[in-house]
Amino acid sequence: MDDKKKRLKGVILKAKTSSFGKKIIYSVIVIIVILVIAIVLIGHHYFKTSLQPLDPHDQQVTQVDIPRGSSTKKIGAILQKSKVVKSGMVFNYYVKSHNITNFKSGYYQLKPSMSLDNIVQNLQKGGSSEPIQSTDSKLIIPEGDNIDQIADIIAKNTDFSKDEFLSLMKDRKFFDAMVQNYPELLSSAKNAKDTRYFFEGYLYPATYPVPKHSSLKMLVSLMLAKSNAMYQPYYQRMKDQKLTVQQTLTLASLIEREGVSQDDRNKMAGVLRNRIEKKMPLQSDVAVLYALHKNTKILSKRDLTVNSKYNLYINQGFGPGPFDSPSVSSVHAVLYPTDMDKGYLYFLADNKTKKIYYAKSLKEQQNNIKTHINR
C-alpha cells in the first residue's frame, strides 16, 4: 500500500514538473516571438523613415565629395557621415533594389531635407570638379589670424570645409598657378623652405564677398588679389631695404600680434631689424606659439625649446615665413621702422596696460620684467 502511494506521488510530481517545464518553454517561445515581432516592426519603421528626408525642415547645405569609383555602399556611408541621409545601408539597399546606377564623382550641394529620389537624381547628374558655394555669403578675416584660424572661419561661414581649405593651402600646383598670377607678391614665397602652408601671411585680413557658385580657389585668389593691391605701393621699398616680400611679411606678422599703436609697431620693427642686423635670434613668443600650434600666450621654458624651424628662440634669422596675416600697418612699420639708431634689442609688452617697454641690453630687459610684469 505504501509502495503504491509512493509510485502515485512520483507520477504526480513528474506530471507537475513536466507541466512546469512546458510552461517555461511556451513562455520562452512567446518572448522570442514578441522580440522577433518587435525587431521586425522597429526595423520596418527604421527602414521606412530612412527612405524619407533626414530632416524635412533642415535647408542647410552640406557639401559632399564623392570620390571617383565609389561603390554605392561607400556613397551611402559618405552621405550618412555627412548627415544627409539617415542610413547609408538603407540608401545602398534602395539603390540596388531599384537598379539605379550611373552615379558620378564630384562635389555636391545636398541638404538633409532632400528625399532619396532627389539625392539620387543629383548624384546621377554629376557634381562639380571642385567645391562651390551654394548661396551668397560674406567672410570677415581679422588682422593677425593664421591659416588654421582662417580655416575655422571659412568652415563656419561658407559651404567649404576646413579640410578642403587646408588642403588647398598645401596644393603645390595651385600655388604655382598663383605665383604666375601674382609674381611680385609670391615669388619669394616660392623659394621659401619648410613652410607649413604656402599661403601663410598672404591672405589679406579684410571682408570678402562669397558669391553663389564661386569656388574655393576663386575665394583664395580674391584674397591674394587684395594682398597684392595693398602691398603694391611697398614693393619698391622692399627692394630698396633689401627685404623680400616673405621676409617683410614675416616680421610684420610678428608685430601684428604684439603691437597696439602704430608708434609701437614702428618701434618694434626697429627692434626686430636691429636683431636681424646683429644676427641675433628674434626670440618671439608669437613664433613659438605658431610652432606649437597654440594661440594662448602662456609659454613654459620647455615650450621655448620646441624643435621647429618656426621657433625663433633657437633659430636665427626670419625662419620659414610668416606666422599670420598682417595688416598693411604692420608692413609699413617693417619698412619704415623708428628708433633703430637708439640700439633697442628687446621689447616687453604689458598685457594689462598694453604699454610696451624697450631695452638695449638683456639686463635692462630683465629689470623691465621685474618692474613692470612681476610687480
Side-chain angles (χ1 to χ4, degrees):
M1 187 69 177
D2 289 338
D3 290 340
K4 285 184 179 182
K5 285 182 179 180
K6 288 181 180 180
R7 284 198 296 270
L8 182 59
K9 284 183 179 180
V11 170
I12 292 172
L13 182 61
K14 187 175 181 181
K16 286 183 178 180
T17 302
S18 177
S19 176
F20 181 71
K22 287 180 180 180
K23 285 182 180 180
I24 292 176
I25 293 172
Y26 291 149
S27 297
V28 170
I29 291 173
V30 169
I31 291 171
I32 291 174
V33 170
I34 292 172
L35 286 175
V36 170
I37 293 172
I39 291 170
V40 170
L41 290 174
I42 292 171
H44 176 74
H45 177 74
Y46 180 80
F47 182 83
K48 187 177 180 180
T49 55
S50 296
L51 293 174
Q52 299 170 359
L54 179 63
D55 186 347
H57 306 292
D58 190 348
Q59 298 296 322
Q60 181 68 38
V61 172
T62 299
Q63 189 139 233
V64 179
D65 178 20
I66 304 298
R68 187 181 298 276
S70 297
S71 65
T72 55
K73 184 178 181 180
K74 184 176 181 179
I75 292 174
I78 292 172
L79 295 176
Q80 181 177 336
K81 185 178 180 180
S82 301
K83 297 181 180 179
V84 174
V85 300
K86 183 175 182 178
S87 170
M89 180 183 66
V90 173
F91 172 85
N92 185 41
Y93 173 81
Y94 176 83
V95 168
K96 289 186 175 181
S97 64
H98 288 77
N99 295 318
I100 300 171
T101 57
N102 300 323
F103 289 146
K104 296 180 174 63
S105 62
Y107 290 90
Y108 293 87
Q109 307 289 318
L110 304 176
K111 303 176 184 178
S113 59
M114 286 181 170
S115 65
L116 285 188
D117 280 336
N118 199 344
I119 292 173
V120 164
Q121 290 171 14
N122 273 272
L123 294 176
Q124 287 180 315
K125 290 178 183 177
S128 60
S129 59
E130 58 184 274
I132 59 172
Q133 179 68 14
S134 63
T135 58
D136 290 334
S137 185
K138 183 174 69 173
L139 201 62
I140 300 175
I141 305 301
E143 297 170 347
D145 272 15
N146 58 39
I147 290 294
D148 287 307
Q149 292 170 311
I150 294 173
D152 289 330
I153 295 171
I154 286 177
K156 184 178 179 180
N157 295 280
T158 72
D159 295 338
F160 311 120
S161 71
K162 182 174 182 177
D163 288 343
E164 288 166 350
F165 176 73
L166 293 181
S167 177
L168 189 60
M169 295 296 96
K170 297 179 179 180
D171 189 326
R172 185 81 208 193
K173 186 176 180 181
F174 176 64
F175 174 71
D176 288 342
M178 292 299 99
V179 173
Q180 294 296 315
N181 290 345
Y182 308 103
E184 285 185 294
L185 178 69
L186 294 172
S187 290
S188 60
K190 185 176 182 179
N191 297 324
K193 297 180 180 179
D194 302 314
T195 52
R196 183 178 297 169
Y197 301 111
F198 293 131
F199 296 100
E200 186 71 86
Y202 290 88
L203 307 183
Y204 194 80
T207 299
Y208 297 95
V210 187
K212 184 177 181 179
H213 299 315
S214 60
S215 69
L216 189 54
K217 289 180 179 179
M218 290 170 61
L219 175 58
V220 172
S221 183
L222 183 65
M223 293 177 176
L224 294 173
K226 179 70 173 179
S227 291
N228 192 53
M230 296 300 292
Y231 302 147
Q232 190 70 47
Y234 295 97
Y235 289 145
Q236 187 57 50
R237 178 71 178 180
M238 293 179 195
K239 292 177 183 177
D240 294 341
Q241 296 276 306
K242 296 182 180 180
L243 289 169
T244 66
V245 177
Q246 185 83 344
Q247 291 170 339
T248 302
L249 293 183
T250 296
L251 295 184
S253 68
L254 295 176
I255 295 169
E256 188 64 50
R257 296 290 291 271
E258 296 279 13
V260 179
S261 68
Q262 188 60 43
D263 182 55
D264 278 325
R265 293 186 190 208
N266 295 341
K267 288 182 180 180
M268 286 179 176
V271 171
L272 295 180
R273 292 193 57 178
N274 277 341
R275 294 183 74 93
I276 289 290
E277 285 188 7
K278 289 182 176 293
K279 297 183 178 180
M280 297 173 65
L282 293 178
Q283 294 186 326
S284 168
D285 288 359
V286 173
V288 176
L289 288 168
Y290 188 85
L292 293 169
H293 297 267
K294 290 182 178 180
N295 290 316
T296 178
K297 287 201 171 185
I298 301 175
L299 292 171
S300 66
K301 289 184 179 180
R302 184 178 180 181
D303 289 335
L304 301 181
T305 63
V306 61
N307 183 20
S308 169
K309 298 288 185 180
Y310 282 103
N311 183 354
L312 299 187
Y313 266 86
I314 61 176
N315 294 298
Q316 186 181 307
F318 296 88
F323 303 89
D324 55 65
S325 295
S327 64
V328 72
S329 297
S330 293
V331 170
H332 182 91
V334 171
L335 298 172
Y336 295 91
T338 58
D339 292 348
M340 283 187 69
D341 57 341
K342 291 184 178 180
Y344 291 134
L345 295 173
Y346 301 87
F347 63 79
L348 178 68
D350 188 329
N351 294 325
K352 293 181 180 179
T353 64
K354 304 300 180 184
K355 186 174 177 59
I356 311 296
Y357 300 94
Y358 300 89
K360 298 177 183 179
S361 66
L362 179 58
K363 183 178 181 181
E364 194 176 338
Q365 172 77 342
Q366 290 172 337
N367 184 58
N368 282 338
I369 294 173
K370 291 178 182 179
T371 305
H372 303 293
I373 303 300
N374 298 332
R375 56 185 181 273

